């Protein structure tokens, strides 16, 4: 089967547009992730200005960022459903920074909800998934885990 030159060009243009549309959303999420450390309020504004994610991967990162922004801004958590989107996507075997950050974020949610047992479980999962122990969130995982143990008098 032979594809004519015009159809081939159109298919290539469509392919490039799809790639750029996906990478632009990823780039926006990375900007939000960087802003989160220095200016969570601005990170929140940027994240809320983005359209809802279309892919599972983008949705998982969006859930992590939204959860971390809410945590940093001291907002209450009424449910764990948003962050579970991310931990379900990454699971507990996919070792990597965002996988670990998803579990760390889930621990933060449970800590804020006063569910120490679930928080400890999430922090322990996060600890195992961080690829590097020199990352800020690894240290925060250790700190928060220690706080949960202290509260449980362990």
């Amino acid at each position: 089967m032979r594809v004519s030159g015009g159809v081939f060009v159109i298919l290539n243009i469509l392919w490039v547009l799809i790639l750029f549309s996906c990478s632009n959303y990823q780039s926006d999420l990375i900007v939000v992730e960087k802003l989160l450390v220095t200016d969570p309020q601005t990170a929140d504004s940027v994240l809320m200005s983005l359209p809802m994610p279309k892919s599972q991967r983008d949705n998982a990162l969006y859930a992590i960022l939204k959860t971390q922004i809410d945590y940093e801004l001291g907002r209450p958590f009424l449910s764990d459903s948003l962050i579970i989107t991310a931990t379900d996507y990454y699971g507990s075997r996919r070792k990597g920074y965002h996988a670990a950050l998803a579990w760390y974020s889930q621990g933060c949610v449970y800590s804020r909800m006063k569910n120490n047992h679930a928080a400890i479980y999430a922090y322990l999962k996060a600890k195992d998934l961080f690829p590097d122990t020199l990352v800020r969130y690894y240290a925060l995982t250790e700190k928060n885990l220690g706080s949960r143990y202290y509260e449980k008098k362990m």
Side-chain angles (χ1 to χ4, degrees), residues 6-66:
V7 172
F8 183 74
V9 170
I10 291 172
L11 288 175
N12 277 335
I13 290 172
L14 286 174
W15 178 249
V16 169
L17 288 174
I18 289 170
L19 284 176
F20 279 125
S21 68
C22 293
S23 66
N24 286 340
Y25 196 83
Q26 275 288 311
S27 298
D28 291 340
L29 290 178
I30 298 303
V31 167
V32 170
E33 189 170 7
K34 289 179 182 179
L35 279 171
L36 174 61
V37 176
T38 57
D39 190 358
Q41 192 68 50
T42 302
D44 189 39
S45 297
V46 172
L47 189 64
M48 292 297 98
S49 73
L50 296 177
M52 291 306 292
K54 290 183 173 63
S55 73
Q56 282 186 318
R57 178 180 174 203
D58 290 345
N59 196 36
L61 184 53
Y62 180 94
I64 293 168
L65 296 173
K66 180 64 178 144

Side-chain angles (χ1 to χ4, degrees), residues 102-116:
W103 286 98
Y104 166 78
S105 299
Q106 188 176 60
C108 293
V109 168
Y110 289 138
S111 293
R112 182 80 42 92
M113 295 173 76
K114 304 291 185 207
N115 186 344
N116 279 341

Side-chain angles (χ1 to χ4, degrees), residues 74-89:
R75 294 176 180 154
F77 293 105
L78 304 176
S79 167
D80 61 357
S81 58
L82 180 62
I83 195 57
I84 285 177
T85 302
T87 54
D88 282 351
Y89 174 76

